[in-house]
């Protein structure tokens, strides 16, 4: 599930705690705990996602393809963890614990649940045509669809530096795809890797992710009583209802096929449950990082986490990258990292200006 930044308030620095920066309300120890939680949760999540979606199970080497079943189990676990987290934060801050404060929130949650639920099947479908590393690299490029939506729909203008970042990321993904090694005899038996069709499916996935992020931003601006934990719970509840309704409908055979698959290979069910639990716990650490340290810190953590996920995938599943592919990886993460650095200096300049204005 995609998440967006909530607003953070400036707080004075305490003499008995070390603050990270001028916009942070958390301590170094809290940052270490948050980063550790994100890394452990999502690195495990990434390994399990690749195993579930690409690795064969059993002696007949069958791959689990029921992406909606994975989504349903994942959103159900995230809804439970999100509810516990929302109740805890509401009681600590003496706020209302209502997950659905009004009918408008129900509609907005349903809209986000729809876009996020539509995004995932396209991502899993793309894995039939591209490898997991290409998917992981592409998922680092969410800036592309978000900018495209704002330029085309909302007529928003961006500084030249933003377009340089988009160019670097696009070129990096292109290099990674172009310099994909020729398939071996074993790989030749599988669907063609890094095909145009797979990239098209990945692009649709990113487009729905962009719509999800834009809608979440709108919810935070129009519903001030909705916090990150409440949104986490509400969206996942709606996503669970949505995907469950489709699974039991006559339009899908995924539920029946999955139950048969689980019976033959129970290991895949254990992998999905652990995958879902890691994703749910990871979301809690993401929302904690947002509330305590802001979006800049979170962007830095998530970018480096995705780099670590790629390296872990290379080592764990014995992938081999060409020199051209490594150049593509560096361009993508260099562009995203540059974006985070520019945001840091922009916000630092704004904060310093506010401090100067207050001292006058």
């Amino acid at each position: 599930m995609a998440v967006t930044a909530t607003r953070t308030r400036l707080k004075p620095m305490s003499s008995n705690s070390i603050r990270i920066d001028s916009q942070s309300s958390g301590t170094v120890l809290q940052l270490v705990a948050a980063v550790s939680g994100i890394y452990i949760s999502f690195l495990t999540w990434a390994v399990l996602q690749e195993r579930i979606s690409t690795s064969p199970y059993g002696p007949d080497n069958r791959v689990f393809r029921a992406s909606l079943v994975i989504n349903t189990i994942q959103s159900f676990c995230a809804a439970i963890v999100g509810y516990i987290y929302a109740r805890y934060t509401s009681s600590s801050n003496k706020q209302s614990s209502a997950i659905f404060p009004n009918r408008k929130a129900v509609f907005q949650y349903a809209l986000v649940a729809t876009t996020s639920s539509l995004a995932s099947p396209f991502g899993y479908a793309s894995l039939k045509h591209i490898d997991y590393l290409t998917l992981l690299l592409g998922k680092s490029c969410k800036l592309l669809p978000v900018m495209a939506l704002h330029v085309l729909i909302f007529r928003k203008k961006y500084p030249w530096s933003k377009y340089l970042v988009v160019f670097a990321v696009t070129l990096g993904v292109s290099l990674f795809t172009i310099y994909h090694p020729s398939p071996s005899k074993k790989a030749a038996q599988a669907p063609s890797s890094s095909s145009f069709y797979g990239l098209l499916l990945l692009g649709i996935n990113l487009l729905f992710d962009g719509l999800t992020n834009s809608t979440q931003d709108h919810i935070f601006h129009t519903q001030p009583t909705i916090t990150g934990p409440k949104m986490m719970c509400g969206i996942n509840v709606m996503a669970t209802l949505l995907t469950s309704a489709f699974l039991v409908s006559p339009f899908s055979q995924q539920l029946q096929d999955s139950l048969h698959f689980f019976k033959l290979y129970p290991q895949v069910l254990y992998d999905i449950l652990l995958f879902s639990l890691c994703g749910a716990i990871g979301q809690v650490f993401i929302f904690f990082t947002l509330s305590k340290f802001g979006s800049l810190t979170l962007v830095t953590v998530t970018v480096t986490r995705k780099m670590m996920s790629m390296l872990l995938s290379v080592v764990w599943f014995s992938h081999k990258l060409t020199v051209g592919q490594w150049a593509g990886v560096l361009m993508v993460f260099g562009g995203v990292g540059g974006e985070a650095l520019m945001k840091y200096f922009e916000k630092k300049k704004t904060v310093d200006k506010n401090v100067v204005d207050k001292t006058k």
Side-chain angles (χ1 to χ4, degrees):
M1 184 188 112
V3 294
T4 55
T6 55
R7 295 179 179 177
T8 54
R9 296 180 179 178
L10 295 175
K11 293 186 177 182
M13 182 179 293
S14 172
S15 59
N16 58 358
S17 62
I18 303 174
R19 301 300 181 190
I20 305 302
D21 56 47
S22 57
Q23 284 192 301
S24 162
S25 64
T27 64
V28 173
L29 184 60
Q30 288 176 324
L31 179 62
V32 171
V35 172
S36 300
I38 291 174
Y39 266 59
I40 293 172
S41 299
F42 281 110
L43 288 178
T44 308
W45 181 89
V47 170
L48 288 168
Q49 184 186 43
E50 183 169 6
R51 170 173 169 77
I52 294 166
S53 56
T54 64
S55 299
Y57 287 87
D60 51 350
N61 293 329
R62 293 179 60 185
V63 177
F64 188 76
R65 300 293 188 189
S67 58
L68 279 180
V69 173
I70 298 175
N71 286 356
T72 304
I73 297 175
Q74 180 176 231
S75 60
F76 179 72
C77 289
I80 294 175
V81 174
Y83 179 75
I84 297 172
Y85 183 34
R87 289 297 299 269
Y88 172 76
T89 54
S90 296
S91 61
S92 299
N93 301 328
K94 297 181 180 179
Q95 298 175 341
S96 171
S97 59
I99 305 298
F100 301 92
N102 48 56
R103 291 184 179 180
K104 184 180 179 181
V106 176
F107 172 77
Q108 290 174 326
Y109 286 159
L111 183 59
V112 176
T114 301
T115 56
S116 61
S117 297
L118 288 173
S120 187
F122 283 101
Y124 283 110
S126 70
L127 287 172
K128 298 178 182 178
H129 307 278
I130 60 176
D131 58 24
Y132 184 77
L133 291 180
T134 306
L135 174 70
L136 193 60
L137 190 65
K139 295 291 281 185
S140 304
C141 311
K142 290 185 179 181
L143 178 64
L144 299 177
V146 172
M147 280 189 65
L149 287 170
H150 280 100
V151 170
L152 296 176
I153 298 177
F154 301 107
R155 303 298 180 184
K156 184 177 180 179
K157 293 183 179 180
Y158 289 94
W160 63 267
S161 57
K162 295 273 188 180
Y163 294 100
L164 283 179
V165 170
V166 170
F167 175 76
V169 168
T170 305
L171 183 59
V173 175
S174 301
L175 285 174
F176 190 88
T177 304
I178 292 170
Y179 286 98
H180 192 281
S182 301
S184 61
K185 293 181 179 180
K186 180 180 179 181
Q189 300 173 357
S192 59
S193 182
S194 296
S195 67
F196 173 78
Y197 183 62
L199 292 176
L200 177 62
L201 292 173
L202 177 57
I204 297 173
N205 169 269
L206 293 176
L207 179 62
F208 279 120
D209 276 345
L211 287 170
T212 299
N213 287 330
S214 300
T215 307
Q216 284 178 312
D217 280 332
H218 180 70
I219 294 174
F220 278 128
H221 283 96
T222 58
Q223 299 268 21
T225 60
I226 294 180
T227 61
K230 293 177 183 177
M231 180 181 286
M232 174 183 171
C233 178
I235 291 175
N236 281 292
V237 166
M238 298 304 295
T240 302
L241 295 175
L242 184 67
T243 54
S244 297
F246 185 79
L247 285 175
V248 298
S249 72
F251 303 104
S252 175
Q253 293 294 319
Q254 286 196 27
L255 182 59
Q256 294 87 335
D257 294 341
S258 298
L259 293 175
H260 180 65
F261 201 102
F262 294 156
K263 185 176 180 180
L264 293 176
Y265 315 109
Q267 180 60 45
V268 69
L269 179 58
Y270 302 143
D271 289 343
I272 292 174
L273 290 173
L274 183 57
F275 164 78
S276 302
L277 183 61
C278 288
I281 295 174
Q283 286 185 41
V284 171
F285 282 108
I286 281 178
F287 281 114
F288 176 80
T289 305
L290 280 172
S291 64
K292 289 292 183 180
F293 305 101
S295 60
L296 282 178
T297 302
L298 181 62
V299 168
T300 305
V301 173
T302 53
V303 168
T304 55
R305 192 273 300 172
K306 287 173 182 175
M307 291 182 67
M308 291 298 296
S309 294
M310 287 198 68
L311 294 175
L312 183 61
S313 177
V314 169
V315 174
W316 193 282
F317 294 97
S318 301
H319 295 303
K320 295 184 182 299
L321 300 184
T322 63
V323 175
Q325 285 185 300
W326 280 117
V329 171
L330 291 176
M331 289 204 71
V332 169
F333 288 112
V336 177
E339 167 72 6
L341 192 62
M342 284 185 286
K343 283 185 177 180
Y344 170 77
F345 285 118
E346 288 174 3
K347 287 200 173 184
K348 188 175 185 300
K349 183 178 179 180
T350 302
V351 172
D352 291 341
K353 184 178 181 300
N354 291 337
V355 172
V356 172
D357 292 340
K358 288 181 179 180
T359 56
K360 288 182 179 180

